[in-house]
C-alpha cells in the first residue's frame, strides 16, 4: 500500500536512517519499510515497489557511513524504471567495529543473500535479481553474490582491493565494477587489481570509470552511476 506523505514523514522521524524516504509523494512507485530475518537477526530495509514493474529486483548495499539519501535516491530511480528496489540496513546483523573480521563480513554478505532471497520469495524470478553496493558495500555485494547468493548479477561501485581482499569466486555471474577516476580513498590501482582478479577467475566482468569523480559523488555523478548500473541490469536481468 502506498503511504501518504504525512505517514512517510512520521516514519522518517522515527527512523533517521530512512530520512530520504519522505520525498516520494506522487512518484511512480510505493515505498515501505520492512524487516526480514538473517541469521536470527532482524534486518530493517527500505523497499520501493514500481507501479509498472519490469519483473526484476535489485538490492543496494550501503557504504561504511550507513544508509544515506544518495542510496535511497538511487533506489527511487531504479523503482521509477520498473525494478523492485531494496536497501537493507546490513549493520543490523553486526555493528561495524572498523576492524571487520571475517565473521562480520560474512554476516553482512549473508544479509545481501537473504535480501535476494526475500525478493525471490516475493515473486521475483531468481534470474532477474541483482545486487549492488558502494565502497564497503561493493565488496559485501559482489563478494557475496559470487559466493552462496542466488543473485543473477552484481555491481561494485567505488570498491577494490583496498576495501577488503576478495575470496575466490564460487559462481560466475556477470559483474560490473564502476571505478571513480580520482578516488583517493580506494585507489584506481586497487580497483583494477580487483577487476583482474575476477577476470583471472573467469568471472565475466565489465569495467567502467566515472570521469572526474572522487570517492564521494556529486548529484550529477550519481546520475552517471545510475545510468551505468541501469544499463547493466537491463542487459543482464531483463
Amino acid at each position: 500500500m502506498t503511504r501518504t506523505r504525512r505517514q512517510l514523514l512520521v516514519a522518517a522521524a522515527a527512523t533517521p536512517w530512512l530520512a530520504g524516504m519522505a520525498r516520494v509523494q506522487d512518484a511512480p512507485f510505493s515505498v515501505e519499510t520492512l524487516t526480514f530475518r538473517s541469521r536470527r537477526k532482524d534486518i530493517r530495509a527500505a523497499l520501493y515497489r514500481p507501479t509498472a514493474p519490469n519483473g526484476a529486483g535489485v538490492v543496494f548495499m550501503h557504504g561504511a557511513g550507513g544508509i544515506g539519501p544518495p542510496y535511497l535516491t538511487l533506489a527511487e530511480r531504479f523503482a521509477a524504471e520498473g525494478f523492485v528496489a531494496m536497501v537493507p540496513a546490513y549493520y543490523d546483523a553486526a555493528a561495524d567495529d572498523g576492524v571487520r573480521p571475517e565473521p562480520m563480513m560474512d554476516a553482512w554478505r549473508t544479509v545481501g543473500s537473504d535480501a535476494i532471497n526475500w525478493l525471490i520469495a516475493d515473486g521475483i524470478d531468481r534470474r532477474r535479481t541483482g545486487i549492488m553496493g558502494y565502497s564497503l558495500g561493493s565488496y559485501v555485494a559482489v563478494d557475496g553474490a559470487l559466493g552462496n547468493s542466488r543473485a543473477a548479477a552484481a555491481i561494485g561501485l567505488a570498491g577494490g582491493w583496498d576495501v577488503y581482499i576478495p575470496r575466490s569466486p564460487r559462481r560466475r555471474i556477470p559483474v560490473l565494477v564502476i571505478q571513480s577516476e580520482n578516488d583517493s580513498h580506494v585507489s584506481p590501482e586497487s580497483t583494477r587489481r580487483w577487476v583482474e582478479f575476477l577476470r583471472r577467475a573467469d568471472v565475466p566482468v565489465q569495467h567502467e570509470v566515472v570521469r572526474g569523480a572522487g570517492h564521494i559523488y556529486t548529484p550529477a555523478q550519481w546520475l552517471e552511476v545510475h545510468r551505468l548500473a541501469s544499463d547493466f541490469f537491463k542487459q543482464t536481468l531483463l
Side-chain angles (χ1 to χ4, degrees), residues 74-199:
L74 186 66
E76 291 173 5
R77 292 191 177 115
F78 280 130
E81 295 180 308
F83 294 92
V84 176
M86 179 191 285
V87 185
Y90 64 83
Y91 282 174
D92 285 351
D96 187 4
D97 65 359
V99 179
R100 301 167 186 163
E102 175 57 24
M104 178 179 292
M105 303 301 292
D106 194 49
W108 293 343
R109 289 189 297 254
T110 301
V111 170
S113 298
D114 287 338
I116 291 290
N117 290 340
W118 191 97
L119 292 179
I120 294 169
D122 196 55
I124 302 293
D125 188 317
R126 65 177 300 275
R127 296 168 296 182
R128 294 189 170 188
T129 59
I131 188 166
M132 174 179 181
Y134 165 77
S135 191
L136 173 62
S138 71
Y139 170 83
V140 174
V142 175
D143 204 68
L146 296 175
N148 297 321
S149 175
R150 293 197 283 170
I155 299 175
L157 170 64
W161 212 272
D162 291 342
V163 175
Y164 212 84
I165 298 173
R167 303 173 302 169
S168 296
R170 298 181 61 182
R171 307 173 69 228
R172 270 73 183 172
I173 60 171
V175 170
L176 170 64
V177 173
I178 302 176
Q179 174 186 332
S180 304
E181 183 180 30
N182 299 326
D183 199 328
S184 59
H185 184 71
V186 178
S187 69
E189 177 55 35
S190 164
T191 303
R192 288 191 292 269
R193 185 180 181 186
W194 191 25
V195 170
E196 290 306 313
F197 170 81
L198 295 176
R199 286 176 175 163

Side-chain angles (χ1 to χ4, degrees), residues 2-3 21 23-31 47-52 72-73 75-81 83:
T2 303
R3 296 207 273 174
M21 291 177 68
R23 299 170 303 179
V24 301
Q25 188 179 31
D26 301 324
F29 50 83
S30 64
V31 60
L47 185 74
Y48 296 80
R49 290 189 185 275
T51 55
L72 300 177
T73 299
E76 291 173 5
R77 292 191 177 115
F78 280 130
E81 295 180 308
F83 294 92

